Amino acid sequence: MWDGLLVGVGGFFGAIARYCSSQWIAGRVSSRFPYGTLFVNLLGSFLLGFIIGGKWGTSIYLLFGTGFMGAFTTFSTFKVDSLQLAKQKEWRVLGLYLGISYLFGILFAFLGYTIGAWING
Amino acid sequence: MIYFIVGIAGVLGALFRYDLGLLIHSWWSLSFPLETLLINYLGCIILGWFTPWAASHKNFPSWIRVGFGTGFIGSFTTFSTFSAETLALIQKGLWGIAILYVLLSLWGGLLMAWCGYRLFKLRGITREE
């Protein structure tokens, strides 16, 4: 029950933060490249790495990790965006989007983890 | 108001992810992160179907489109956990499983989004007949 509450509260703010970020970015950059989704996914990967590396305990992990970062980042929009690019035959943009998302997602998680472990090690 | 709807849908999406993850975890004990992969696949099928379906309806209420698509399915699926799990596999030296996980997410996710889209198309064909 308590665990669910933490995940729910995190999910509430994570979803709103993602929506605001993507609206904000869409209002500034007009491009076929899905900058909004890329931004939240990379930032979220970094911050989740930071939370895991810092080992701040189960409650913090459920609230900020599973709840907030889980909802802040998204996989479904990432893939539907990619499918759209494939249908429009934007192969170069698609390749860049997939490559940057996976490579830098894992790299940023590593950087976050290292910094988190260093601060709270 | 739309922010509140996105937030409430986000609560439901995050809780569904959390509970489904626990359920899968209760019978899956190998080091391959099956929970996140299945959750992300499911979300890709649903969003792959929902996005063109909502767009095909004239005057479809935007609060449902944003609430369900961005709020619920967006929060149900996750990318940060995928990155962190891949990192954890690499840190344990399980390179083979890490590479398998990345490839299954990359191509499987695209395939699932495409299946969702085909599901939408299929429905369109049967309606025309």
Side-chain angles (χ1 to χ4, degrees):
Chain A
M1 181 61 204
W2 175 244
D3 289 357
L5 188 72
L6 290 171
V7 172
V9 170
F12 183 81
F13 291 106
I16 294 176
R18 171 163 42 80
Y19 183 60
C20 290
S21 304
S22 58
Q23 293 283 92
W24 189 79
I25 290 167
R28 264 159 190 76
V29 202
S30 65
S31 168
R32 284 176 307 228
F33 195 85
Y35 284 105
T37 310
L38 183 71
F39 172 77
V40 292
N41 280 346
L42 294 187
L43 180 64
S45 296
F46 175 81
L47 292 173
L48 186 66
F50 181 80
I51 293 164
I52 294 171
K55 296 185 176 70
W56 274 281
T58 312
S59 299
I60 296 284
Y61 182 76
L62 287 173
L63 180 66
F64 292 105
T66 312
F68 192 95
M69 292 310 157
F72 181 63
T73 60
T74 181
F75 190 82
S76 50
T77 309
F78 167 47
K79 288 301 168 185
V80 172
D81 284 344
S82 304
L83 191 66
Q84 289 292 342
L85 289 171
K87 274 199 283 187
Q88 291 157 6
K89 299 207 175 1
E90 296 278 1
W91 303 118
R92 207 181 62 89
V93 182
L94 176 65
L96 269 176
Y97 185 41
L98 292 173
I100 293 172
S101 294
Y102 281 99
L103 192 65
F104 285 90
I106 297 163
L107 192 68
F108 280 16
F110 172 69
L111 281 175
Y113 184 92
T114 308
I115 295 170
W118 178 66
I119 288 175
N120 202 25
Chain B
M1 188 59 196
I2 190 73
Y3 296 102
F4 186 71
I5 291 166
V6 168
I8 292 299
V11 173
L12 295 174
L15 285 175
F16 260 73
R17 169 163 42 78
Y18 179 60
D19 285 331
L20 193 59
L22 289 180
L23 186 75
I24 297 169
H25 195 73
S26 66
W27 56 264
W28 180 260
S29 54
L30 303 180
S31 46
F32 184 85
L34 187 72
E35 306 94 291
T36 313
L37 189 71
L38 289 183
I39 286 164
N40 282 343
Y41 276 1
L42 186 61
C44 284
I45 296 177
I46 298 171
L47 197 70
W49 161 80
F50 179 75
T51 307
W53 180 79
S56 72
H57 287 69
K58 277 191 176 152
N59 304 322
F60 192 82
S62 71
W63 68 270
I64 299 179
R65 188 173 49 78
V66 175
F68 184 77
T70 307
F72 183 76
I73 299 298
S75 302
F76 177 65
T77 61
T78 181
F79 189 80
S80 53
T81 309
F82 158 77
S83 304
E85 283 168 344
T86 309
L87 175 67
L89 288 171
I90 293 171
Q91 284 171 331
K92 284 180 201 154
L94 301 170
W95 281 91
I97 299 177
I99 292 166
L100 182 71
Y101 188 39
V102 170
L103 291 177
L104 284 175
S105 292
L106 173 58
W107 297 112
L110 280 174
L111 180 70
M112 293 302 146
W114 182 78
C115 286
Y117 175 73
R118 293 305 301 173
L119 220 64
F120 159 74
K121 281 295 210 189
L122 212 68
R123 191 182 160 275
I125 292 161
T126 42
R127 197 170 46 188
E128 276 164 26
E129 279 168 359

